[in-house]
């Protein structure tokens, strides 16, 4: 297949980028020679003496490089001030600037991390060093949702790509640590914040941002408080398609428009006390939430149920095509309340730290969906379509005319008929997952001399106790309004919600659709539900069937010991971590006489040896080698002892309590060259062998297991999670960043930051295939060109990742794929004085279209676009 112009241009950009990096590297070698000559006239240089200018990017990155240079393991770090130089709203977007870090987006907004191309469950998360387990809608993933944590409350972001024994073993590819601000970070009284306002290009919705942080400290006591708010109102263009699994011909065109208001708030309080020299106590409380209010307008042209006509791959003509409309004003909520009490103490022989953490997370969905159907072929439209562009078919509408010979196509129409459906029903969709977690953590370090060597011994123990109450997303109740409303003396008139405002869309379609007022409809739906509830015909508490609910209790106890010492030119950190997990799972399964409680439990003890070796070849040249083991445990809803049934969507989603955790062993190697201008050039490689690979499986129900009286569910999609066989994942990462301080005059303000990751891997599926890992892009690239001088800071940033498998499919004509995409962002800052600066951010300048497809690009399943966004504002610091 011929590549699109955007991909061709990308190849050219990457090719040119490689050549440019080669030239830059050659220039850097010459510059390093000159710098070394200068250094011989001064004291010996260490990493702390990296040349620094007053520029925000370079100045803030210096501390991050020092931390990375001195770390015992392979780690990448972003300082908070560096984050401020990117147009990134949440921590996931900021972390995506690091080597081999990609993000998963939802309607264009960054949500989950994928490090080194692996699935998000292979990356664990901690806040201030304390393990945090995330939940998403329905609890199907343990992945932490980064869209609930704004970047403005963080002091640094760390990605540990190799593990030391003090880090939890539940990290196959990386462990991300989000460090929040401490009152002792700056002495005295300080205030900083920002205000910003902008626009979403698609739909013209507003974008706003505000943050404020204040702190005060002296030598003994400190206090800080912070708050942030971000909100944007966007339109999302969306097209989805389904196909006949045998012929591959289209069965339905799903046309959607979303009006989404997304907001995130965070508030933090921190207290710190130094009662005596060498002793520090602190308490931090962080609350963050993410709110998603979604209005959906959706129309599905049911090609497979047309009265007559022909369906082709590139074009078709059909008579009497049923239409299904769906409308909702849904509410998605995610919150995290993280509280940590801790202390760090220096005793005569030991340095001791302790932490007690309580974390509460909640994820809820409330989606009262109104579904309307035009099923009478005499009122349904006739259509013809042109799929020259499979992603965006052009559809022509016609009237349907009844004659003596049957139904025929009538005159062309320029708009979809949106009033007087034949059937109206309401489907309340709901789910809720809540977790309560306590973490107790104690670490100690002692330095002593043994055998002529200085040895640093570290020991520690931790206990995590989690309780999860959850309900998978399910549509277990359908309210047939025509039969119910007369019983409460109410009516529902679909046509009154249709406005005279056409959809604001950038996708070609072929006919006009007017926006349906979901807000007004939701108000009437609430009144209907209240009336039905009062009459005993509806109960929100009864919406979730017992077989959708689950309860899980986990206890994870860990202990470790490690030693750090020098052996010749190398520094070694080697040790062992032991973890024991006890898990109890409770749920219900439907039966002929009601629901039956089903419980499962499992206990697992795992050993995680690791070794990290660091060679200081020169003051500015470091070689690292590492070997480790790790684990990824299945998520909560994935191991539930039940199955949910969606008769509307014809889908059965089942848990699998017998899943084995994924286990891995592997190694890392990296070479890091620290350059003038707070620069770094590095190359690293990794290999992971993974057993019991988890993957989502989609097949069809073939027996009568899920049938109900009068309801045959044969042919429903059956979705569950399975263990595959052994797999491997490996790759190489190149990174380079530097401000060109060796250039003359104004040119020394230019700099470059970029990285390129080449990844590969596969595993054995139960049907004997060797398939790629879901979620793995074989190429991830980031490149930023920046200029900083005389108060001006400007950065143009480019990101690209290649296609990847989303879900493996064992029938039909191919796996569910996500196509590659690119993003181009611009950020400009200007410092008016030492305290005040103004900024302008422009995101998604390429106006990217995100595409999913089945098997090949001739069968797109989802096409989505969110448009560009712009934000301008002011930052202040006193």
């Amino acid at each position: 297949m011929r590549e699109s112009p955007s991909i061709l241009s990308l190849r050219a950009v990457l090719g040119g980028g490689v050549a440019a990096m080669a030239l830059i590297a050659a220039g850097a070698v010459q510059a390093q020679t000159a710098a070394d000559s200068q250094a011989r006239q001064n004291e010996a240089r260490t990493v702390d003496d990296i040349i620094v200018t007053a520029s925000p990017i370079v100045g803030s990155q210096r501390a991050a490089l020092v931390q990375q240079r001195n770390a015992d393991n392979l780690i990448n770090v972003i300082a908070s001030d560096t984050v401020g130089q990117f147009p990134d709203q949440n921590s996931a977007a900021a972390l995506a600037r690091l080597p081999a870090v990609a993000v998963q987006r939802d309607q264009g907004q960054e949500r989950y991390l994928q490090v080194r191309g692996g699935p998000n469950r292979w990356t664990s998360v901690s806040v201030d060093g304390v393990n945090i387990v995330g939940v998403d809608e329905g609890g199907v993933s343990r992945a932490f949702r980064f869209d609930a944590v704004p970047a403005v409350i963080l002091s640094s972001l760390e990605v540990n790509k190799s593990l030391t024994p003090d880090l939890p073993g539940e990290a196959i590819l990386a462990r991300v640590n989000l460090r929040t601000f401490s009152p002792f970070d700056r002495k005295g009284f300080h205030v900083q914040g920002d205000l910003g306002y902008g626009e979403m290009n698609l739909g013209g919705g507003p974008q706003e941002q505000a943050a404020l942080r204040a702190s005060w400290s002296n030598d003994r006591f400190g206090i800080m408080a912070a708050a942030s708010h971000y909100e944007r109102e966007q339109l999302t263009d969306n097209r989805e398609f389904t196909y006949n699994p045998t012929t591959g011909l289209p069965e339905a065109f799903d046309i959607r428009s979303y009006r989404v208001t997304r907001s995130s708030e965070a508030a933090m309080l921190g207290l710190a006390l130094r009662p005596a020299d060498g002793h520090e106590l602190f308490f931090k409380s962080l609350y963050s939430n993410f709110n998603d209010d979604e209005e959906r307008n959706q129309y599905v042209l049911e090609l497979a149920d047309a009265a007559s006509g022909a369906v082709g791959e590139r074009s078709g003509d059909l008579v009497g095509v049923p239409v299904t409309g769906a409308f909702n004003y849904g509410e998605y909520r995610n919150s995290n309340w993280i509280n940590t009490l801790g202390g760090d103490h220096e005793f005569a022989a030991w340095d001791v730290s302790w932490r007690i953490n309580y974390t509460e997370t909640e994820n809820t969905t409330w989606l009262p969906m109104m579904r309307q159907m035009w099923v009478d072929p005499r009122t349904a439209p006739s259509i013809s379509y042109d799929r020259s562009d499979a992603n965006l078919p052009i559809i022509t509408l016609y009237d349907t005319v009844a004659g003596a010979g049957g139904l025929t196509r009538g005159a062309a129409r320029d708009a979809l008929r949106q009033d007087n459906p034949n059937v109206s029903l309401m489907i309340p969709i709901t789910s809720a997952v809540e977790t309560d977690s306590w973490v107790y953590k104690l670490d100690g370090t002692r330095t002593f001399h043994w055998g002529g060597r200085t040895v640093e011994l570290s020991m520690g123990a931790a206990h995590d106790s989690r309780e999860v109450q959850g309900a998978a997303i399910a549509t277990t109740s359908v309210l047939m309004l025509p039969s119910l409303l007369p019983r409460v003396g109410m009516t529902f008139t679909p046509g009154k919600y249709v406005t005279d405002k056409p959809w604001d869309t950038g996708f070609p379609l072929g006919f006009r659709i007017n926006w349906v007022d979901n807000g007004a409809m939701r108000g009437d739906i609430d009144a209907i539900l209240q009336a039905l509830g009062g009459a005993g015909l509806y109960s929100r508490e009864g919406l979730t069937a017992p077989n959708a609910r689950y309860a899980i209790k986990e206890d994870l106890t860990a202990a470790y010991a490690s030693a750090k010492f020098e052996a010749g030119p190398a520094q070694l950190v080697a040790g062992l971590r032991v973890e024991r997990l006890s898990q109890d799972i409770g749920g219900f399964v439907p039966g002929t006489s009601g629901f039956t409680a089903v419980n499962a439990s499992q206990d697992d003890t795992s050993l995680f040896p690791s070794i990290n070796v660091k060679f200081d070849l020169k003051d500015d040249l470091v070689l690292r080698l590492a070997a480790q083991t790790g684990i990824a445990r299945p998520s909560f809803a994935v191991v539930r002892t039940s199955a949910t049934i969606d008769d509307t969507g014809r889908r059965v989603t089942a848990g699998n309590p017998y899943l084995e955790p994924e286990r891995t062993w592997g190694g890392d190697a990296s070479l890091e060259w620290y350059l003038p201008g707070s620069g770094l050039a590095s190359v690293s490689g990794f290999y992971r062998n993974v057993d019991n690979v988890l993957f989502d499986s989609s097949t069809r129900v073939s027996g009568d297991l899920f049938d109900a009286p009068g309801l045959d569910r044969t042919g429903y999609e059956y979705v569950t999670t399975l263990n595959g066989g052994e797999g491997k994942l490996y790759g190489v990462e190149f990174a380079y960043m530097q401000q060109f301080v060796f250039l003359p005059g104004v040119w020394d303000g230019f700099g470059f930051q970029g990285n390129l990751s080449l990844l590969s891997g596969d595993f054995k599926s139960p049907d004997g295939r060797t398939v790629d890992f879901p979620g793995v892009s074989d190429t991830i690239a980031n490149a930023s060109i920046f200029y900083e001088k005389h108060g001006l800071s400007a950065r143009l940033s480019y990101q690209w990742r290649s296609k990847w498998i989303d879900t493996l499919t064992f029938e039909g004509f191919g796996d569910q794929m996500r196509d590659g995409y690119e993003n181009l962002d611009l950020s400009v800052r200007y410092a008016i004085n030492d305290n005040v600066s103004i900024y302008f951010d422009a995101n998604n300048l390429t106006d990217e279209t995100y595409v999913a497809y089945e098997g090949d690009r001739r069968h797109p399943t989802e096409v989505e676009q969110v448009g560009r966004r712009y934000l301008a504002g002011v930052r202040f610091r006193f």
Side-chain angles (χ1 to χ4, degrees):
M1 179 180 292
R2 189 170 60 183
E3 294 181 313
S4 67
S6 61
I7 297 299
L8 291 174
S9 63
L10 174 62
R11 304 296 186 201
V13 168
L14 289 178
V18 171
M21 289 183 69
L23 291 173
I24 290 171
V29 170
Q30 296 177 356
Q32 182 66 35
T33 302
D36 288 343
S37 176
Q38 178 66 31
R40 285 192 291 270
Q41 302 174 29
N42 303 300
E43 297 178 354
R45 181 169 60 83
T46 68
V47 71
D48 289 332
D49 298 315
I50 292 174
I51 299 174
V52 179
T53 71
S55 63
I57 292 178
V58 177
S60 62
Q61 189 60 33
R62 176 177 182 269
L65 286 179
V66 170
Q67 181 181 345
Q68 180 172 323
R69 167 67 175 80
N70 294 332
D72 295 329
N73 60 329
L74 177 58
I75 185 174
N76 296 127
V77 184
I78 298 180
S80 62
D81 288 341
T82 303
V83 172
Q85 304 307 310
F86 288 107
D88 298 328
Q89 180 272 321
N90 66 42
S91 48
L95 286 162
R97 310 290 178 177
L98 290 173
V101 178
V103 293
Q104 289 178 257
R105 288 176 165 84
D106 179 74
Q107 297 199 34
Q109 189 164 14
E110 300 84 358
R111 175 163 294 178
Y112 298 117
L113 281 189
Q114 292 181 278
V115 179
R116 289 173 163 174
N120 55 41
R121 67 180 181 273
W122 288 3
T123 297
S124 61
V125 177
S126 62
V127 176
D128 293 323
V130 176
N131 201 37
I132 303 294
V133 174
V135 292
D136 65 355
E137 288 93 349
V140 297
S141 173
R142 289 178 184 250
F144 186 80
R145 286 184 53 155
F146 289 86
D147 50 12
V149 180
V152 294
I153 66 169
L154 303 171
S155 65
S156 66
L157 303 89
E158 306 162 354
V159 179
N160 294 274
K161 293 181 176 177
S162 68
L163 300 183
T164 49
D166 59 308
L167 299 176
E170 196 169 9
I172 286 182
L173 287 175
R175 179 171 180 80
V176 176
N177 186 37
L178 308 177
R179 289 191 180 275
T180 61
F181 284 96
S182 165
F184 286 135
D185 283 347
R186 300 183 69 183
K187 190 174 180 180
F189 179 72
H190 295 277
V191 176
Q192 70 178 67
D194 73 74
L195 293 170
Y197 189 83
E199 182 180 274
M200 306 294 295
N201 182 248
L202 182 59
Q207 182 181 199
E208 59 187 39
Q209 177 174 294
L212 182 67
R213 187 176 74 246
S215 65
W216 177 87
S217 67
N218 58 19
D219 292 334
R220 293 298 182 187
F221 177 75
I223 183 172
M224 65 85 62
S228 69
H229 166 79
Y230 174 80
E231 183 173 309
R232 74 193 202 190
E233 182 181 311
Q234 70 179 60
L235 285 183
T236 302
D237 265 348
N238 182 279
R239 304 287 184 267
E240 298 189 14
F241 310 93
T242 57
Y243 303 91
N244 184 292
T246 302
T247 65
L249 296 176
E251 288 191 330
F253 292 157
D254 188 339
I255 305 161
R256 306 186 187 192
S257 179
Y258 295 91
R259 185 182 300 277
V260 179
T261 300
R262 291 186 164 180
S263 64
S264 58
E265 285 80 29
M268 180 178 172
L269 174 68
L271 303 171
L273 174 67
R274 290 174 177 159
D277 292 345
H279 297 271
E280 181 176 322
L281 303 172
F282 72 89
F283 172 75
K284 291 182 179 181
S285 181
L286 167 63
Y287 177 81
S288 66
N289 65 39
F290 175 82
N291 299 325
D292 185 352
D293 294 332
E294 175 190 283
E295 297 183 56
R296 177 197 302 189
N297 274 207
Q298 174 186 3
Y299 293 94
V300 183
L301 302 177
E302 309 283 1
L303 309 186
D305 296 326
S308 62
V311 176
E313 179 179 351
R314 299 290 298 273
S315 63
D317 291 283
L318 297 157
V319 175
V321 179
V323 178
T324 300
F327 314 92
N328 67 259
Y329 191 113
E331 300 167 357
Y332 302 87
R333 302 289 184 262
N334 178 268
S335 65
N336 301 275
W337 187 32
I338 303 170
N339 303 271
T340 305
L341 177 68
D344 299 295
H345 309 275
E346 296 178 9
F347 296 106
W350 289 86
D351 291 339
V352 176
S353 66
W354 57 273
R355 305 287 187 266
I356 300 175
N357 173 271
Y358 171 73
T359 296
E360 180 182 295
T361 66
E362 184 177 25
N363 197 304
T364 62
T365 299
W366 173 234
L367 195 69
M369 179 180 293
M370 185 63 65
R371 182 157 290 189
Q372 302 168 4
M373 289 172 280
W374 290 260
V375 295
D376 185 341
R378 293 170 298 178
T379 60
S382 297
I383 73 167
S384 64
Y385 63 84
D386 178 1
R387 291 185 72 237
S388 298
D389 181 351
N391 291 340
L392 300 171
I394 305 299
I395 301 166
T396 304
L397 296 183
Y398 302 89
D399 290 327
T400 300
V401 179
L407 299 177
T408 60
R409 192 173 77 182
R413 297 178 56 89
D414 65 351
L416 179 70
R417 182 177 179 180
Q418 297 174 263
D419 59 351
N420 299 325
N422 307 121
V423 180
S424 292
L425 53 88
M426 210 266 288
I427 307 172
I429 301 173
T430 183
S431 77
V433 183
E434 299 178 2
T435 71
D436 290 280
S437 174
W438 285 92
V439 178
Y440 308 91
K441 189 170 181 284
L442 179 67
D443 299 275
T445 302
R446 179 180 180 179
T447 301
F448 61 92
H449 299 282
W450 179 67
R453 290 193 176 94
T454 299
V455 179
E456 183 178 282
L457 175 66
S458 297
M459 303 177 66
H463 180 76
D464 295 25
S465 179
R466 307 182 189 114
E467 292 187 359
V468 183
Q469 300 288 332
I473 292 180
T475 55
T476 56
S477 177
V478 176
L479 304 180
M480 303 298 294
L481 296 185
S483 61
L484 290 175
L485 290 181
R487 300 173 64 178
V488 292
M490 301 183 72
T491 60
F492 180 79
T493 307
K496 78 174 187 178
Y497 306 106
V498 180
T499 71
D500 59 359
K501 181 179 180 180
W503 280 10
D504 191 348
T505 173
F507 285 169
L509 183 56
F511 59 91
R512 188 181 75 253
I513 306 177
N514 286 350
W515 183 256
V516 172
D517 188 344
N518 288 282
M521 184 184 291
R522 171 63 188 274
D524 290 346
I525 287 175
D526 290 344
I528 290 171
L529 293 178
Q530 184 177 2
L532 293 175
L537 301 173
Y538 159 81
S539 168
R540 181 168 176 176
E541 291 73 20
L543 288 177
T544 304
N547 61 300
R549 301 182 184 276
Y550 57 88
I552 298 177
K553 188 179 189 309
E554 288 185 346
D555 286 288
L556 179 66
T557 303
Y560 76 90
S562 67
K564 179 168 70 172
F565 57 92
E566 292 185 356
Q571 172 193 283
L572 282 79
V573 179
L576 176 68
R577 184 179 185 89
V578 182
E579 293 186 355
R580 178 171 179 79
L581 176 74
S582 297
Q583 188 179 64
D584 294 309
I585 308 167
F588 297 87
V589 295
T592 56
S593 58
F595 294 94
T596 303
V598 177
N599 297 303
S601 62
Q602 54 181 311
D603 297 288
D604 174 72
T605 300
S606 301
L607 304 180
F608 303 102
S610 65
I611 182 171
N612 284 265
V613 185
K614 180 171 68 172
F615 296 88
D616 291 325
L617 304 180
K618 292 183 179 181
D619 288 337
D620 55 6
L621 191 63
V622 178
L623 173 66
R624 299 180 189 272
L625 302 173
Q628 65 182 52
T629 58
I631 196 171
R633 299 181 174 97
S635 189
F636 309 116
V638 169
V639 296
R640 72 187 190 277
T641 56
S642 60
T644 56
I645 301 173
D646 177 5
D647 287 315
T648 303
R650 297 178 55 82
R651 174 181 294 179
V652 176
T653 305
N656 184 354
Y658 304 106
L659 288 171
E660 293 288 333
E662 296 168 300
R663 300 181 185 276
T664 182
W665 59 266
D668 298 84
S670 73
L671 183 64
E672 304 164 0
W673 179 24
Y674 294 87
L675 306 170
S678 289
L680 172 68
S682 67
V683 57
S684 60
F686 73 94
Y687 176 87
R688 294 289 186 272
N689 180 278
V690 187
D691 201 12
N692 303 321
V693 175
L694 295 171
F695 66 96
D696 294 331
S697 170
S698 175
T699 56
R700 296 284 171 178
V701 174
S702 58
D704 59 0
L705 178 63
F706 299 104
D707 288 351
L711 185 56
D712 181 4
R713 294 188 170 110
T714 302
Y716 278 25
E717 183 183 12
Y718 181 78
V719 178
T720 190
T721 303
L722 301 175
N723 282 117
E726 187 177 26
K728 57 186 181 296
L729 184 66
Y730 50 91
V732 61
E733 305 161 14
F734 303 92
Y736 171 72
M737 64 178 179
Q738 187 178 25
Q739 184 163 5
F740 304 143
V741 295
F742 49 82
L743 295 177
V746 297
W747 299 102
D748 66 358
F750 278 103
F752 177 84
Q753 179 175 344
N755 51 75
L756 175 67
S757 302
L758 306 176
L759 310 169
S760 186
D762 52 55
F763 73 99
K764 292 181 180 178
S765 63
D767 63 353
R769 288 191 297 162
T770 298
V771 295
D772 292 340
F773 274 110
V776 175
S777 295
D778 59 20
T779 307
I780 302 172
N782 288 277
S784 295
I785 299 173
F786 64 86
Y787 183 84
E788 291 202 330
K789 202 172 181 68
H790 304 306
L792 175 65
S793 174
R795 179 187 288 265
L796 186 66
S797 304
Y798 177 81
Q799 294 179 309
W800 179 73
R801 66 177 298 188
S802 60
K803 66 180 181 180
W804 70 96
I805 294 176
D806 190 44
T807 303
L808 294 173
T809 304
F810 297 102
E811 59 182 20
F813 45 93
D815 297 322
Q816 298 289 333
M817 305 290 297
R818 290 279 173 178
D819 209 354
Y821 62 82
E822 58 188 348
N823 281 96
L824 184 66
D825 304 323
L826 172 69
S827 58
V828 181
R829 279 98 177 101
Y830 179 73
I832 298 174
N833 53 43
D834 291 340
N835 305 113
V836 180
S837 63
I838 56 176
Y839 66 90
F840 172 75
D841 294 334
N843 290 77
N844 191 25
L845 290 174
T846 54
D847 199 14
E848 189 67 3
T849 299
Y850 304 100
V851 178
Y853 58 90
E854 186 173 354
D856 58 57
R857 292 183 176 88
R858 296 177 303 164
H859 297 94
T861 55
E862 182 179 20
V863 181
E864 189 170 83
Q865 191 173 49
V866 298
R868 304 174 180 90
R869 67 181 192 267
Y870 309 99
L871 185 72
V874 59
R875 285 195 171 99
F876 54 88
R877 173 181 296 186
F878 300 97

